[in-house]
Amino acid sequence: NAGVTQTPKFQVLKTGQSMTLQCAQDMNHEYMSWYRQDPGMGLRLIHYSVGAGITDQGEVPNGYNVSRSTTEDFPLRLLLAAPSQTSVYFCASRRGHYNSPLHFGNGTRLTVT
Amino acid sequence: SQQGEEDPQALSIQEGENATMNCSYKTSINNLQWYRQNSGRGLVHLILIRSNEREKHSGRLRVTLDTSKKSSSLLITASRAADTASYFCATDKSVIQGAQKLVFGQGTRLTINP
């Protein structure tokens, strides 16, 4: 199993551009989530999904959209990139039960200039 | 807002020594989890302790949980250079039945000196 795969690994955007960060998992996990990691801030939850067709907001959802059309994929969209969105983004998944651990991808490092 | 707060923020010890990291949180939890992050990589799950458990072991790792003090500790015994990493605690914030918003602390940066 590949686990959780994130693409791209690195991305540079100009302010106002849009892009989609891809996340795919091959473990048949019901739950998927997106976090951003900033120095001194730990990881903050952006959006999460408990299954195909179901998404909800986390702590810092503004500026980001998600959708979950399949169990495997959970893309994160930045519609109008801003410098404040410069960060490292992590996708994570787990089985449906809340006492299951998260499995993380290796991250996408995004710079918005 | 951050739920878990790790202490210390950074820890440097000699190889072979034990390392202890602490985590405090604010609200009731279903479970508390510890993760490790090597530089430039994603987080890796280490151990999960449920709210009705007080201690858990996994190899050289020992985790304790004190729900009355809202705190947890992670002990790594006989440290190795490969243990150099950042360590994060995370607590769940169940919003609806079956859903979870796992909230992470800011982490402890552990350096093992040879």
Side-chain angles (χ1 to χ4, degrees), chain A residues 4-11 21-23 34-37 43 87-92 103-110, chain B residues 37-38 40-43:
Chain A
V4 179
T5 303
Q6 290 185 239
T7 55
K9 287 185 169 54
F10 301 95
Q11 183 70 48
L21 279 64
Q22 301 292 344
C23 175
W34 278 101
Y35 287 86
R36 59 177 289 173
Q37 184 176 31
L43 281 83
S87 187
V88 181
Y89 291 85
F90 288 99
C91 179
H103 297 255
F104 281 82
N106 282 324
T108 294
R109 185 174 294 273
L110 176 68
Chain B
Q37 184 180 35
N38 291 94
R41 307 284 289 181
L43 280 72

Side-chain angles (χ1 to χ4, degrees), chain B residues 2-111:
Chain B
Q2 298 297 325
Q3 163 78 320
E5 297 288 338
E6 285 97 338
D7 172 62
Q9 291 187 340
L11 180 61
S12 181
I13 61 173
Q14 295 299 119
E15 196 166 17
E17 293 181 339
N18 295 341
T20 299
M21 288 157 273
N22 301 298
C23 172
S24 60
Y25 57 93
K26 298 174 184 172
T27 63
S28 296
I29 60 172
N30 289 313
N31 64 63
L32 186 144
Q33 304 178 33
W34 285 91
Y35 289 80
R36 183 187 74 232
Q37 184 180 35
N38 291 94
S39 181
R41 307 284 289 181
L43 280 72
V44 174
H45 179 260
L46 295 176
I47 201 162
L48 181 153
I49 186 165
R50 301 185 186 199
S51 59
N52 61 353
E53 297 175 312
R54 291 297 167 258
E55 188 171 312
K56 210 160 181 182
H57 296 254
S58 177
R60 293 183 296 112
L61 305 181
R62 172 177 168 253
V63 168
T64 61
L65 178 65
D66 187 336
T67 53
S68 66
K69 294 181 180 178
K70 292 187 170 57
S71 67
S72 173
S73 67
L74 170 66
L75 169 67
I76 304 173
T77 60
S79 63
R80 305 167 181 168
D83 295 328
T84 293
S86 292
Y87 291 81
F88 294 86
C89 71
T91 53
D92 70 328
K93 290 173 72 175
S94 291
V95 177
I96 60 175
Q97 188 178 11
Q100 179 190 16
K101 294 183 178 181
L102 199 60
V103 179
F104 286 81
Q106 297 179 22
T108 292
R109 174 69 189 167
L110 176 64
T111 302

